[in-house]
Amino acid sequence: MISVVIVGTGNVAQNLFQAFDKVADVEIIQVLGRNENHLAFAKDKVFISTDFNKIPSADIYILAISDDSIGVVAEKFKDSNGLIVHTSGATSLETLSKCNRTGIFYPLQTFTKGKIITFDDIPMCIEAKNEKDFELLLNLGKTLSNTVIEVSSEQRKILHVAAVFVNNFTNYMYTIGADICTENNIDFKLLQPLIKETAAKLDDLTPYQSQTGPAKRSDQKTLHKHLQLIKNTHQRELYTLLSNAIKEKHGKEL
């Protein structure tokens, strides 16, 4: 049995709580946060607290909090004998340097307010200072995910950059597509099968192999027609920038 204290009240903390709450080999000792109202998701299930001066004993303390808060909050655990880990993709392990035992427990996934997801297929990226703590994190990760992998702080930062491109930037493209549909009285749901198939292709092809579209084909006529149809200046600039990037990767510039 691995005992855990979850620190945080945001999307990652809530998803980890819901996931660990279903695991027989993990005991959630406490959920700790600064705002009692934000701890409602764990109320009546485990002990909740806003008092960082009375932290119970546990095997692992998971700091599922904002990147800017990690260093400050970690100081509250500097005298603890437990393993202190954070869940950030962009923050170094050294941010926890004032603690005795430190590690990383980074779920490589997007977490959205109000949406609880399963961890089975989420890569859990872990890192620790020593072998004993690494084994503890490995065992904890395996209670949730089928993929638990050792990733260094430098590799994790690079992974996080790549994740911004494939998730955050891609979702912003969806937002533009939805805006264009709305402005022209078209149901955005008509594009959802296309979105799903675009992602599904990556099960069998590399992103480079699965690229399609007028820019990849060097279809100048269609590209210029699209630019004429796009009235929003920002959208036109993005269309040109992205089309040129695709053409540079696969052919000539627009």
Side-chain angles (χ1 to χ4, degrees), residues 4-8 13 16-17 20 28 30-33 60-62 64:
V4 170
V5 169
I6 298 174
V7 183
L16 283 173
F17 172 78
F20 283 132
I28 304 174
Q30 184 185 72
V31 179
L32 185 62
I60 303 178
Y61 300 86
I62 303 176

Side-chain angles (χ1 to χ4, degrees), residues 94-208:
E94 295 306 314
T95 308
L96 303 174
S97 60
K98 292 185 179 180
C99 301
N100 297 319
R101 297 166 57 202
T102 60
I104 305 295
F105 194 69
Y106 170 52
L108 182 52
Q109 184 54 278
T110 177
F111 296 93
T112 305
K113 185 177 181 180
K115 182 175 174 59
I116 300 299
I117 60 178
T118 59
F119 279 73
D120 293 359
D121 297 321
I122 296 177
M124 297 300 304
C125 304
I126 63 173
E127 181 183 4
K129 285 286 189 179
N130 63 63
E131 186 176 345
K132 182 180 177 182
D133 289 338
F134 178 82
E135 289 297 323
L136 180 58
L137 280 181
L138 182 63
N139 291 333
L140 181 67
K142 286 180 177 179
T143 67
L144 296 182
S145 173
N146 298 319
T147 305
V148 185
I149 183 171
E150 181 176 13
V151 177
S152 70
S153 285
E154 204 56 41
Q155 289 173 319
R156 182 166 37 81
K157 290 177 187 177
I158 293 169
L159 261 178
H160 194 258
V161 172
V164 168
F165 273 93
V166 303
N167 174 245
N168 304 142
F169 291 170
T170 300
N171 192 73
Y172 181 63
M173 294 298 105
Y174 297 160
T175 303
I176 290 178
D179 288 343
I180 291 172
C181 285
T182 300
E183 290 162 7
N184 292 276
N185 197 29
I186 299 170
D187 189 351
F188 176 70
K189 288 183 178 179
L190 293 172
L191 293 173
Q192 289 182 352
L194 173 63
I195 292 170
K196 292 175 182 178
E197 174 58 20
T198 302
K201 284 194 295 185
L202 298 180
D203 288 339
D204 303 304
L205 302 170
T206 67
Y208 181 86

